[in-house]
Every structure is written in C-alpha cells, then in structure tokens.
C-alpha cells in the first residue's frame, strides 16, 4: 500500500476539487526512463484499468496503482512540500536502490 502524508492528502484533495473533475483519483505509476532507469508518474485519472490496485481511499479521493507498477512502489510514502527550499510531491520509496540527482528517477 501507498501512504500519503497529511500534507500530500490535503494537496491532492484541493487539486481534484479545483480541477472540476470530482470523480478523478490519484494514479501513481512507474515507467522506464530517467537517468536511473525508472521514473515516477503522478497524475489524475478517471480510467479503470484492468489489474488496478486501490491502494487506499482518502477523504474525497482514491489512490490507484497499475499492476505493473505496484511491485516497484509498494510501501512508499508520498509527501508534499511547499517551502522556500522545495515545492512539490516527493516519494520516499524503501525499495529504491538509489536515485538520481534530480530526484525524478530511481533504480
């Protein structure tokens, strides 16, 4: 399962409400690419894909992960920061062997 911090959950809920598509959910995926081999994808979706895992239901939305991505990001924590030093979503993935300097890809 994927865990969202309170900050991440609040931001996702806000973005879904602001989008005008209240039936959307947060999709987390892993795709080949980036300088370390695999790249995270975080986006809003309304499609039901065969084999989707509903990682968790939060107040106002669900988090879904496709069956190919789940083994790579299971047990990860999604956070959101909005500070002078950093802004945006970050993923703390205990299964990642390492990340690149940009923080966008892992292996």
């Amino acid at each position: 399962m994927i865990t969202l911090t309170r900050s991440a959950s609040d931001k996702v809920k806000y973005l879904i409400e602001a989008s005008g598509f209240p039936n959307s959910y947060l999709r987390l995926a892993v795709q080949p690419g980036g300088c370390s081999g695999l790249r995270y994808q975080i986006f809003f979706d309304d499609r039901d894909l065969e084999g989707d895992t509903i990682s968790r239901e939060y107040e106002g939305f669900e988090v879904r992960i496709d069956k190919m991505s789940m083994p790579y990001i299971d047990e990860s924590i999604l956070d959101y920061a909005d500070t002078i030093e950093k802004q945006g979503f970050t993923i703390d993935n205990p299964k990642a062997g390492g990340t690149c300097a940009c923080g966008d890809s892992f292996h």
Side-chain angles (χ1 to χ4, degrees):
M1 296 295 178
I2 304 299
T3 302
L4 274 66
T5 64
R6 183 68 168 163
S7 177
S9 175
D10 289 347
K11 186 64 173 183
V12 169
K13 184 177 177 183
Y14 167 78
L15 291 171
I16 288 174
E17 288 173 357
S19 75
F21 297 100
N23 295 328
S24 296
Y25 47 82
L26 183 70
R27 181 173 292 281
L28 299 176
V30 173
Q31 300 291 321
C35 43
S36 288
L38 296 171
R39 171 178 239 160
Y40 298 114
Q41 299 288 313
I42 303 172
F43 56 97
F44 296 108
D45 200 357
D46 62 357
R47 298 172 297 152
D48 293 323
L49 302 178
E50 185 177 330
D52 268 357
T53 297
I54 299 174
S55 178
R56 190 164 167 192
E57 292 187 30
Y58 288 85
E59 185 181 331
F61 67 94
E62 296 176 349
V63 176
R64 292 192 185 196
I65 301 150
D66 66 88
K67 65 182 174 183
M68 299 299 284
S69 298
M70 186 55 121
Y72 295 103
I73 57 176
D74 190 26
E75 301 175 16
S76 294
I77 298 171
L78 181 69
D79 192 16
Y80 181 80
D82 189 5
T83 66
I84 292 174
E85 292 93 18
K86 115 172 114 166
Q87 182 178 28
F89 289 101
T90 59
I91 296 178
D92 180 13
N93 185 347
K95 295 183 177 186
T99 60
C100 65
C102 70
D104 191 42
S105 64
F106 68 101
H107 63 274

